[in-house]
Amino acid sequence: MHHFINRYTVTGDIEEFRRLLGELSAYMREQPGFTAHRLYRSARDERTFVEIAEWTDPEAHRAALAGEGFRGPVSELRKIATADPSPYELLSSHSRS
């Protein structure tokens, strides 16, 4: 499993940010290898968001990033938010089921 975590700081309109991120998420959901996406907003700062995306493998994620359905919206997103993206390796997971 490939986990990709991105921390955003919104410098422009928050609703436009959410709209553009929704476009990106819709595109990603249709790509081979996509398994899940979660978006969090900081309880302390309404302009800070964290998204967590799960992919079957890094290659599937890279292929999705190369598509026009990603490049178009992300270029607009960069005008109103800064991002700190990085792949992560899951070391442990706990749940009460």
Side-chain angles (χ1 to χ4, degrees):
M1 184 69 61
H2 176 69
H3 296 86
F4 194 81
I5 300 176
N6 201 349
R7 181 176 185 264
Y8 292 101
T9 302
V10 179
T11 56
D13 183 71
I14 291 174
E15 291 309 312
E16 179 66 1
F17 166 79
R18 301 237 3 228
R19 185 188 72 73
L20 288 167
L21 199 57
E23 275 186 42
L24 285 168
S25 295
Y27 165 76
M28 293 301 213
R29 280 192 304 270
E30 299 300 319
Q31 303 311 301
F34 173 87
T35 59
H37 177 265
R38 288 182 284 300
L39 179 65
Y40 300 88
R41 181 171 57 192
S42 170
R44 292 186 202 164
D45 179 2
E46 69 176 13
R47 295 191 163 280
T48 300
F49 294 81
V50 172
E51 71 173 340
I52 300 172
E54 295 177 7
W55 293 80
T56 55
D57 56 85
E59 293 76 22
H61 183 231
R62 277 193 289 276
L65 296 177
E68 184 55 38
F70 176 81
R71 289 192 315 261
V74 85
S75 67
E76 292 301 310
L77 193 69
R78 288 181 179 145
K79 295 176 184 177
I80 59 171
T82 59
D84 181 19
S86 186
Y88 283 79
E89 177 183 347
L90 179 65
L91 298 181
S92 67
S93 177
H94 309 279
S95 63
R96 181 177 256 171
S97 299

